Amino acid sequence: MPAYGRIGGSVEQIEIVVGDITVQRVDAVVNAANEQLTGGGGVDGAIRRAAGPELDAATRALAPCPPGDAVITAGYRLPARYVIHAVGPVWRGGHEGEDELLASCYRRSFTLARERDLESVAFPAISTGAYGFPFERAARLALIEIKHERERDADPEWRPGVRRVVVVLHDHEHARIYRELLAEVMTEDPSGP
Ligand code: APR
């Protein structure tokens, strides 16, 4: 008998908030990391400052991590129990597989969360800062992957899946774009034109 009351593919709540990802009360926050998993600015810098030096030691042991992939560590001094370090692609004009690599970051993050039976995950807008990915394009890709997770069939291991997804943005204009796209992407028919 499975020990879970829920079956996979069960994202029930998608929240778009403006604020600081480090203060989110979720099971895991996602970091916009780099391949070497060494400290940077933006989301990475904020997460490392808030989590404390133990996080640096933990990521050092797991490096490197290629673009499109992710690793998971404890959250140390963060309210979140875990940090998922997802390495987004650097934007090089859009013809070097950037879309697929970015989508893969979200898929890998969901897989890592599922493997630990996490119920809530907060994502930043991966790759849209220092890595230069056009914001709206990145937001659409992220929302499509969140939608896929919501619609995912129960997997053979009976993992319950992430129930609450929080997208944490740095400013109101980014949140407006995300909210507009949310309505669009969630109602899009995948078999449409
Ligand atoms: N909370 C939420 N969002 C934030 C925060 C924060 N504390 N700080 C910045 N942002 C926003 C930025 O405005 C941007 O839209 O997060 C988005 C991602 O920006 P970056 O953190 O620069 O991430 P990315 O573009 O993926 O670049 C990764 O930057 O810090 C380095 O080590 C990191 O080399 C890596 C690169």
Side-chain angles (χ1 to χ4, degrees):
M1 277 287 283
Y4 310 110
R6 295 182 291 118
I7 296 174
S10 53
V11 177
E12 288 164 5
Q13 215 179 325
I14 302 167
E15 291 166 43
I16 293 162
V17 304
V18 177
D20 180 357
I21 196 158
T22 65
V23 302
Q24 301 302 313
R25 300 207 164 268
V26 286
D27 293 331
V29 294
V30 177
N31 184 15
N34 60 57
E35 243 178 295
Q36 298 312 317
L37 302 177
T38 51
V43 173
D44 199 1
I47 286 180
R48 285 172 191 280
R49 277 192 301 278
E54 296 97 328
L55 183 61
D56 292 332
T59 56
R60 219 176 292 129
L62 296 171
C65 177
D69 204 353
V71 297
I72 189 164
T73 66
Y76 302 98
R77 297 177 207 172
L78 293 173
R81 273 192 293 142
Y82 292 96
V83 180
I84 295 171
H85 306 265
V87 181
V90 175
W91 179 256
R92 298 186 201 281
H95 299 291
E96 297 196 23
E98 294 95 326
D99 288 348
E100 175 49 30
L101 289 171
L102 186 62
S104 169
C105 284
Y106 287 87
R107 287 198 292 270
R108 282 289 299 141
S109 299
F110 278 123
T111 300
L112 290 169
R114 230 185 292 128
E115 283 172 0
R116 281 168 178 72
D117 300 329
L118 306 186
E119 289 200 0
S120 53
V121 177
F123 285 95
I126 301 168
S127 280
T128 66
Y131 281 1
F133 208 108
F135 188 85
E136 192 169 326
R137 185 166 172 150
R140 184 181 292 279
L141 288 164
L143 285 164
I144 289 170
E145 292 311 317
I146 294 168
K147 184 183 185 186
H148 285 164
E149 183 65 17
R150 192 176 71 164
E151 292 170 351
R152 196 176 50 79
D153 289 334
D155 62 36
E157 292 167 4
W158 291 81
R159 296 288 187 185
V162 174
R163 191 149 57 170
R164 180 171 162 243
V165 174
V166 186
V167 181
V168 185
L169 301 164
H170 225 32
D171 66 67
H172 290 278
E173 176 57 13
H174 284 174
R176 186 191 63 75
I177 293 170
Y178 241 94
R179 288 195 185 106
E180 263 182 39
L181 286 172
L182 176 69
E184 199 184 299
V185 169
M186 293 300 155
T187 54
E188 246 163 32
D189 178 359
S191 61

